[in-house]
Amino acid sequence: MKDRFVVTGGARLEGAVKVSGAKNSVLKLMAAALLAEGTTTLRNCPEILDVPLMQKVLEGLGCIVTIDGPVVRITTPAMPTSDADFDAVRQFRASVCVLGPLTARCGRAVVALPGGDAIGSRPLDMHQSGLEKLGARTRIQHGAVVAEADALVGAPITLDFPSVGATENILTAAVLAQGRTVLDNAAREPEIVDLCEMLTSMGAQIQGAGTSTITIDGVARLYPTDHEVIGDRIVAGTWAYAAAMTRGDITVSGISPRNLHLPLEKLKMAGAEIETYETGFRVRMGRRPSAVDYQTLPFPGFPTDLQPMAIGISAVAQGTSVITENVFESRFRFVDEMLRLGADATVDGHHVVLRGMERLSSTEVWSSDIRAGAGLVLSALVSEGETVVHDVHHIDRGYPKFVENLRSLGATIERVSA
């Protein structure tokens, strides 16, 4: 937990990197394994800290979980335990995704209010409201959300906001409900499509994945499956912005470029050359980036998880950029650390104005969440001198072999343990 990265600026990143499975998908797929008795196998799983954390959560529910590199096997009992381990759940946000499966399988779920990244409030009201429309009774009690249901029954549900987490919990409860559920204003993220594809392979009846209206016809039982996790578009996007920021040349594989359409278009506007392939892309930047404006929105908009990278490239771009955060109100905590690096940035509500400069200046900075940590490392690469990035356990939660990949691309970076 006390490890830090020491980064020497000035390197031009060049080479190739392959991304593994998506953090924002694998944890939800692991939770979905609770819906079927027997052994479910997940392949192409990322080797990140959050996977063994989810392993602890599932083992506390009575599952047997084995991790063999990129392969995770989950053996779910005939009736899982309904109370998720308090200490394990509180460590990361994605643990709340066991709420839907447990309510559907056990008729009861007790899940501690989750922890995770410090990027703003992420209440569970839409999760609770969705489950209540399916017939569950929910409440917050002793620091946990409690859901109980004698039987779940399909219903029309409309989300106030296309929340990924609420969509996932409603989906994983509705697949075992009696009758039809029509979920409007559903999240459209590729990770939702990945979850729907896994649930369908388990025997679920789902239509409309990837659109704003998902229709679920409940079935009596689901079965274990063998599923390959979708590639991580946020990790891939991080490498894309690393290429552009360092005026480098990086080829990224293991991801559909369709899932990064807008971030790659923004890099084109900044002056990058983009080549796309069926399972990857190449980003080349031969000059200082041009300033581009960004606003984060649910998919297919610009992802909030790449907002620190947008700020990073804007800090060294030619001209003035305005970045607008529409998803998480505390994501701009990252700007305080960028100011330490000498960025010319002004925060005004949910906007930040950046006046780009040729290079940043090195100092000590602190990660507050996964993406902020990665963004600080990229910014350190375009800073003069040696930058120390603290609290890098956040980065380890979302980026497999981060230091090794950066070194292979030509970066000078060292992990130092206390």
Side-chain angles (χ1 to χ4, degrees), residues 97-117:
C97 62
V98 301
L99 182 64
L102 288 178
T103 305
R105 278 296 305 283
C106 307
R108 172 181 164 85
V110 181
V111 182
L113 295 174
D117 291 334

Side-chain angles (χ1 to χ4, degrees), residues 24 35 39 90 133 142 156 176 188 191 216 240 266 268 296 307 310 319 343 352 354 371 386 407 412:
N24 289 340
L35 290 164
T39 301
R90 279 177 57 86
K133 286 184 170 66
H142 304 306
L176 291 180
R188 300 166 56 189
E191 295 79 18
I216 309 108
K266 290 289 186 180
K268 281 185 184 178
T296 66
Q307 183 242 80
V352 59
L354 286 123
R371 312 306 173 186
E386 191 175 86
R407 283 179 174 168
T412 302

Side-chain angles (χ1 to χ4, degrees), residues 165-186:
T167 298
E168 289 162 343
N169 266 325
I170 293 167
L171 265 172
T172 51
V175 289
L176 291 180
Q178 300 171 19
R180 171 169 289 188
T181 298
V182 178
L183 179 57
D184 280 320
N185 202 25

Side-chain angles (χ1 to χ4, degrees), residues 220-236:
R221 181 180 179 183
L222 296 179
Y223 301 88
T225 192
D226 191 312
H227 181 80
E228 182 164 327
V229 183
I230 193 173
D232 197 315
R233 63 193 171 99
I234 305 302
V235 172

Side-chain angles (χ1 to χ4, degrees), residues 20-369:
S20 55
K23 168 195 176 292
N24 289 340
S25 191
V26 66
L27 306 174
K28 323 304 176 60
L29 302 179
M30 291 176 71
L34 289 165
L35 290 164
E37 179 184 357
T39 301
T40 289
T41 301
L42 299 176
R43 305 184 188 277
N44 193 38
C45 298
E47 296 178 50
I48 56 175
L49 287 182
D50 274 10
V51 170
L53 285 176
M54 181 59 84
Q55 176 187 22
K56 279 187 62 179
V57 172
L58 295 179
E59 287 175 343
L61 296 170
C63 299
I64 298 171
V65 184
T66 60
I67 300 175
D68 183 11
V71 179
V72 175
R73 292 183 175 86
I74 303 156
T75 302
T76 301
M79 185 54 65
T81 304
S82 60
D83 290 24
D85 179 77
F86 192 87
D87 291 333
V89 168
R90 279 177 57 86
Q91 294 185 60
F92 64 122
R93 175 72 188 185
S95 55
V96 76
C97 62
V98 301
L99 182 64
L102 288 178
T103 305
R105 278 296 305 283
C106 307
R108 172 181 164 85
V110 181
V111 182
L113 295 174
D117 291 334
I119 55 177
S121 63
R122 297 194 277 187
L124 300 182
D125 51 349
M126 283 188 286
H127 302 243
Q128 293 178 255
S129 174
L131 292 178
E132 288 170 359
K133 286 184 170 66
L134 295 174
R137 304 173 297 279
T138 75
R139 63 186 184 277
I140 302 295
Q141 183 176 344
H142 304 306
V145 57
V146 180
E148 297 172 314
D150 301 321
L152 295 179
V153 179
I157 301 172
T158 300
L159 296 178
D160 294 334
F161 177 85
S163 160
V164 171
T167 298
E168 289 162 343
N169 266 325
I170 293 167
L171 265 172
T172 51
V175 289
L176 291 180
Q178 300 171 19
R180 171 169 289 188
T181 298
V182 178
L183 179 57
D184 280 320
N185 202 25
R188 300 166 56 189
E189 273 71 4
E191 295 79 18
I192 295 291
V193 176
D194 198 25
L195 175 61
C196 288
E197 288 179 353
M198 175 175 161
L199 292 171
T200 299
S201 73
M202 298 170 74
Q205 300 293 316
I206 301 172
Q207 295 179 324
T211 74
S212 57
T213 300
I214 302 177
T215 301
I216 309 108
D217 289 302
V219 297
R221 181 180 179 183
L222 296 179
Y223 301 88
T225 192
D226 191 312
H227 181 80
E228 182 164 327
V229 183
I230 193 173
D232 197 315
R233 63 193 171 99
I234 305 302
V235 172
T238 300
W239 297 127
Y241 277 74
M245 287 174 66
T246 64
R247 308 183 198 182
D249 183 351
I250 299 178
T251 299
V252 181
S253 59
I255 178 74
S256 170
R258 293 190 304 273
N259 295 339
L260 275 173
H261 174 73
L262 187 54
L264 293 179
E265 283 298 311
K266 290 289 186 180
L267 288 182
K268 281 185 184 178
M269 294 168 63
E273 299 176 52
I274 311 288
E275 297 177 39
T276 58
Y277 318 106
E278 185 177 350
T279 58
F281 57 85
R282 180 182 182 184
V283 177
R284 287 180 287 179
M285 178 69 91
R287 60 174 177 82
R288 184 179 173 190
S290 299
V292 176
D293 292 341
Y294 298 83
Q295 61 172 323
T296 66
L297 289 167
F299 189 85
F302 192 88
T304 182
D305 280 354
L306 286 178
Q307 183 242 80
M309 293 62 180
I311 290 177
I313 194 171
S314 299
V316 293
Q318 190 164 3
T320 299
S321 304
V322 178
I323 289 90
T324 302
E325 174 57 51
N326 293 308
V327 181
F328 293 127
E329 73 275 10
S330 294
R331 264 242 143 96
F332 283 157
R333 290 180 57 180
F334 170 73
V335 177
D336 292 338
E337 300 307 305
M338 291 296 293
L339 293 173
R340 293 178 189 271
L341 291 170
D344 186 348
T346 304
V347 176
D348 181 9
H350 64 125
H351 308 281
V352 59
V353 178
L354 286 123
R355 289 158 287 275
M357 54 184 56
E358 185 72 27
R359 299 195 76 77
L360 300 174
S361 58
S362 58
T363 187
E364 295 191 52
V365 289
W366 281 260
S367 307
S368 58
D369 64 76

Side-chain angles (χ1 to χ4, degrees), residues 383-405:
S383 298
E384 294 179 348
E386 191 175 86
T387 297
V388 179
V389 181
H390 295 277
D391 294 337
V392 299
H393 61 279
H394 290 296
I395 302 172
D396 294 334
R397 288 183 46 223
Y399 288 86
K401 301 178 181 177
F402 192 59
V403 170
E404 294 87 342
N405 281 319

